[in-house]
Amino acid sequence: MCAIAGAFNVPNASLVVRHMLFAMQHRGQDGAGIVSSHAGRLLPAVRGFGGVDHVFADIDFDTRLPGLTAIGHVRYPTSGDPKSEANLQPMEARRRSGDVAIVHNGNLTNARVRHHDLEEAGAIIRSTSDTELFLHFMARSGESDTANQLLAAGAKLEGAYATLTLTQEGIFAMTDPWGFRPLVMARCGDGYLFASEPIAFDVLDELELPEGTLPSITDVTTVPQGTIVRVTGGEAYVQTYMRPPLSRFCAFEHIYFAHPASTVFGQSVNAVRERLGKILGWRNTVKADLVTAVPDSSNAAAHAFAQAAGIPFRFAITRSHYTGRTFIKPGQKARQLGVRAKFQIVRELVKGKSVLIVDDSIVRGTTTQKLVKMLRRAGAREVHMAIVSPPVVHPCHWGIDTPERKELVASQIEQGALAAHLGLDTLTYLTHAELLEALEDPKQDRHCTTCFTRVKPIHCHKLPH
Ligand code: 5GP
Ligand code: MG
């Protein structure tokens, strides 16, 4: 998963993009990059491994990335080698019609086939990232107009993409026909802003820039699926190139990925999380002394669960904000050590008590197993768990970093044996129907839930797994 951001005709555009990316750091911490356009040309992009504050710590935005228009990216590698510098974004290319740079959130599902086709045709491919495919197919399209080049590339590619393309003319936003990944835009004075999540706009309130304050941000809207938005002048030109009868918004954005203060796919993330917790809390039968969250991702759901279940909510598990990420650490040992360093138990709250942990999801089971051991060592009498999503039984092809099926604990261990395997007294999951209820999508014509059902969206032909 990743985040993308763009600013068109906005003072100190690259610095504004930096602030937006920093607000979306939860979507990826492995790499960051920004490119700007100034005086009719694109500047060399600034890219690096690590978080936004690290990558841009010593960058003088005025001299390295001047101009009124810029795009940027934070990376959480789900496609391509995570250690390869060539896979960092923005990705740039020279075209006959002028330089171009692109940032992309989502995963293409036919990348392997298309890479192969291109290599067979003699193309030299720089990276192992699916994003590069856009540039190749744009260049090969025979079109001179950037929007037409993007449409031609989109026709060759399948899967999830929210993209921003920068040329000397301005910014072109393009979303895939199914809308797997969120993208929003807003007016900012005479200019425009784009971001994966609207929280990126909130942090710009009253931002003092070297060139004065930022104009106020208005007209925040979703960039719908199957759309190209061209901002090259005073007005945005919005073109719907495909309008399928269904959407495939990623349910995991609401469950785990997006920021709780954001609205994605037209719904408040916090409201969805509260509904997830409430629905499971209502049918709870476990008589626990207290409910605790696994901070921060399950906070809203756990609190709502406790209220609905009529059990006191306590902060029995605390987290350190100074540890790195545990989830994608290579190797099970490293992930376990990571969980140990990240979470600490408040002993006096759990000693002799029956504790009910509410978490958003179980993927490999690393977090749960470790937390259960820590709670028992701290004196908990019973340890129960409620998960506010259904069992993750299938990898994601569209950009959530759920590993191969053999690593997904709920796909390997039978439901009845899972609680014992994880060391729990009881384990309750949300059902798929309850998830749809919380998403207010009872007929499921809006959300993708393949990671819970193994049922692939009908349009998907060539999946890699
Ligand atoms: P597990 O430890 O079972 O492998 O993963 C579950 C935990 O990781 C949950 O606490 C959940 O909040 C978090 N999680 C779920 N999906 C992701 C993801 O894609 N990336 C990261 N970093 N964490 C995740
Ligand atoms: Mg978590």
Side-chain angles (χ1 to χ4, degrees):
M1 187 56 55
C2 303
I4 57 175
F8 170 78
N9 201 14
V10 165
N12 303 108
S14 57
L15 187 58
V16 169
V17 168
R18 181 245 174 249
H19 283 288
M20 290 198 282
L21 292 176
F22 193 46
M24 298 188 290
Q25 189 81 82
H26 58 281
R27 298 183 68 86
Q29 299 95 35
D30 282 30
I34 298 178
V35 61
S36 71
S37 111
H38 182 52
R41 66 184 190 95
L42 265 55
L43 279 299
V46 175
R47 281 178 295 253
F49 292 109
V52 171
D53 54 350
H54 170 71
V55 172
F56 296 100
D58 301 318
I59 300 297
D60 178 1
F61 285 81
D62 262 359
T63 51
R64 286 286 296 278
L65 293 165
L68 297 173
T69 301
I71 59 170
H73 183 263
V74 291
R75 176 164 163 82
Y76 180 166
T78 51
S79 160
D81 177 1
K83 295 206 178 65
S84 158
E85 220 161 304
N87 289 341
L88 291 172
Q89 299 188 34
M91 288 203 176
E92 304 149 289
R94 294 241 140 95
R95 298 173 304 174
R96 228 171 317 160
S97 47
D99 292 352
V100 61
I102 190 164
V103 290
H104 166 213
N105 175 206
N107 254 25
L108 302 177
T109 46
N110 65 343
R112 217 179 297 167
V113 182
R114 290 303 186 217
H115 262 141
H116 179 79
D117 293 350
L118 282 172
E119 274 166 352
E120 287 285 294
I124 293 169
I125 298 182
R126 274 180 60 240
S127 73
T128 50
S129 156
D130 53 355
T131 306
E132 189 180 348
L133 293 169
F134 281 98
L135 298 173
H136 283 276
F137 286 117
M138 286 172 78
R140 282 161 181 262
S141 65
E143 301 280 350
S144 54
D145 176 76
T146 301
N148 289 339
Q149 290 181 355
L150 277 166
L151 283 174
K156 296 272 187 197
L157 301 171
E158 260 181 19
Y161 50 89
T163 62
L164 296 174
T165 299
L166 177 71
T167 73
Q168 71 267 41
E169 302 156 274
I171 293 178
F172 299 76
M174 181 162 74
T175 50
D176 69 64
W178 306 95
F180 285 100
R181 298 286 153 226
L183 186 64
V184 288
M185 63 182 288
R187 281 228 78 139
C188 179
D190 294 331
Y192 287 92
L193 299 172
F194 294 92
S196 297
E197 293 185 33
I199 187 149
F201 303 150
D202 298 346
V203 300
L204 302 179
D205 260 358
E206 296 171 44
L207 182 68
E208 288 290 334
L209 295 165
E211 290 174 31
T213 45
L214 196 67
S216 57
I217 296 167
T218 57
D219 306 313
V220 179
T221 54
T222 297
V223 178
Q225 65 204 90
T227 301
I228 289 199
V229 181
R230 174 203 293 256
V231 291
T232 51
E235 289 306 314
Y237 179 70
V238 182
Q239 179 189 355
T240 306
Y241 68 89
M242 205 187 283
R243 187 175 289 160
L246 303 174
S247 311
R248 281 296 172 251
F249 304 149
C250 170
F252 225 76
E253 289 273 353
H254 276 297
I255 293 167
Y256 167 78
F257 218 82
H259 195 283
S262 279
T263 294
V264 299
F265 310 131
Q267 291 202 79
S268 148
V269 175
N270 179 70
V272 172
R273 288 187 190 166
E274 287 190 355
R275 283 202 294 274
L276 291 167
K278 205 190 293 179
I279 291 168
L280 198 57
W282 274 331
R283 71 160 161 90
N284 172 62
T285 53
V286 174
K287 291 193 175 47
D289 298 313
L290 62 112
V291 163
T292 184
V294 184
D296 293 314
S297 50
S298 78
N299 285 351
H303 189 256
F305 178 103
Q307 272 193 320
I311 302 172
F313 177 87
R314 307 304 295 271
F315 292 99
I317 300 171
T318 64
R319 74 163 283 193
S320 163
H321 287 269
Y322 310 102
T323 60
R325 299 182 28 238
T326 50
F327 187 84
I328 64 158
K329 286 218 161 98
Q332 192 55 14
K333 192 85 199 144
R335 280 192 291 269
Q336 278 168 1
L337 286 172
V339 173
R340 186 66 195 86
K342 181 167 162 185
F343 297 113
Q344 309 303 334
I345 309 296
V346 182
R347 265 204 206 90
E348 65 272 21
L349 287 180
V350 304
K351 195 155 193 291
K353 298 282 170 52
S354 171
V355 179
L356 202 171
I357 315 169
V358 177
D359 203 358
D360 58 84
S361 57
I362 296 179
V363 182
R364 295 185 182 90
T366 317
T367 308
T368 305
Q369 268 172 328
K370 199 80 204 176
L371 283 176
V372 174
K373 271 195 204 141
M374 287 161 65
L375 280 162
R376 293 206 193 276
R377 209 173 302 135
R381 193 178 81 245
E382 291 171 17
V383 184
H384 304 273
M385 191 161 213
I387 299 292
V388 295
S389 61
V392 175
V393 291
H394 197 77
C396 178
H397 307 291
W398 299 278
I400 295 283
D401 188 28
T402 36
E404 284 179 43
R405 220 163 126 169
K406 62 178 189 312
E407 285 189 61
L408 299 170
V409 70
S411 154
Q412 296 305 305
I413 311 276
E414 220 186 301
Q415 276 304 299
L418 204 47
H421 176 82
L422 296 170
L424 289 158
D425 290 288
T426 67
L427 170 64
T428 315
Y429 276 104
L430 200 73
T431 66
H432 188 245
E434 287 170 330
L435 170 63
L436 295 180
E437 186 187 337
L439 292 167
E440 296 186 331
D441 186 14
K443 295 205 196 97
Q444 198 174 6
D445 36 30
R446 299 206 320 277
H447 291 87
C448 174
T449 58
T450 300
C451 54
F452 306 121
T453 59
R454 301 195 179 112
V455 178
K456 282 157 206 159
I458 36 173
H459 62 282
C460 237
H461 314 299
K462 313 178 199 80
L463 291 178
H465 287 271

